[in-house]
Amino acid sequence: MNQYYLSHLKELEAEAIYVIREVVAQFEKPALLFSGGKDSIVLAYLSKKAFYPARIPFPLVHIDTGHNFPETMVYRDWLVNELQVKLVVGSVQESIDKGRVREETGYNASRNALQTVTLLDTIELHKYDAAMGGARRDEEKARAKERFFSHRDEFGQWDPKNQRPELWNIFNGRKQMGEHFRVFPISNWTEMDVWQYIQQENIPIPTLYYTHEREVISRDGALLSTSAWLKLKEGEMPEKKRVRFRTCGDMPITGAVESDADTIEKIIEEVAASRKTERGTRADDKRSETAMEDRKKSGYF
């Protein structure tokens, strides 16, 4: 890695650590939203650096849809033990059982949207006033509208037209009773920055991100992994392919890409050559032009 990228990553790292420390300084009960994907993993390691040699002073919060990749869950439990951090789990299945949300049906059913209610219930239950996440502005146009400190009203809703200015990295965390903030310390990072940082810091990642042989079906231009939650349409035939995942969402909605990238170096080369965003493989983002923004306004990550 050349000197430009080394200095560039140091600047991004310093900015992210500054934001994380500001969260702990300004809020009474922060938490880190952890999906098991590469961005939230990097955020967890940045948090470790921010407070070393002390332990991370806030919990990891995982909203468990029940449709996770097994590899994601194995990695989550390993990381919690590795960092010696508290884990809080919000269960979408529990929300369904309580009648808080209704399970979708059909071939393209997903629990992705259901996470919002579970997330808001978990935030309310534990009284978190700041929830940090690994979202980046380059991922999707709705996420490009986010501030570092993203205000949410007493209903957990986001209004992109009612956010505070952030001049010279001065963040305003003032809130009324019942309101909270979502905070995005790696907003200015790109997918390439994340991978180069993982390489630089030698951060372990789930095996999903590396090429492996997997049984998949092709649907609407996406390669979806077979699972107990994926209902096959007539004529859909599973076949084994050499694939990897660029993002770790739920199994029924997260598309794989055919790839030979079995090392970090090869992944970086592949990302550099790609002309499609990582969320281009997510079926839930294709439901409408404003799918992500609509979910964010109602309280999504």
Side-chain angles (χ1 to χ4, degrees), residues 89-100:
V89 178
S91 169
V92 171
Q93 184 61 56
E94 188 175 311
S95 297
I96 294 170
D97 295 341
K98 289 181 177 179
R100 295 281 292 143

Side-chain angles (χ1 to χ4, degrees), residues 51-100:
F51 302 103
Y52 186 82
R55 292 184 181 180
I56 296 173
F58 42 77
L60 302 189
V61 175
H62 179 224
I63 303 304
D64 181 6
T65 65
H67 291 176
N68 299 287
F69 285 93
E71 296 93 331
T72 301
M73 303 302 283
V74 168
Y75 182 90
R76 182 201 72 180
D77 295 341
W78 171 83
L79 184 67
V80 167
N81 183 66
E82 175 73 10
L83 299 182
Q84 292 295 291
V85 65
K86 181 181 177 181
L87 174 67
V88 173
V89 178
S91 169
V92 171
Q93 184 61 56
E94 188 175 311
S95 297
I96 294 170
D97 295 341
K98 289 181 177 179
R100 295 281 292 143

Side-chain angles (χ1 to χ4, degrees), residues 112-131:
N112 201 50
L114 309 189
Q115 295 180 82
T116 299
V117 171
T118 308
L119 172 61
L120 293 176
D121 286 350
T122 302
I123 289 173
E124 172 61 25
L125 175 65
H126 296 278
K127 306 301 180 186
Y128 297 128
D129 53 359

Side-chain angles (χ1 to χ4, degrees), residues 208-212 243-246 256-257 259 261 267 270-271:
L208 284 171
Y209 284 112
Y210 297 109
T211 290
H212 57 286
V243 300
R244 74 174 194 89
F245 293 86
R246 291 178 67 185
V257 294
S259 172
I267 289 174
E270 190 174 270
V271 170

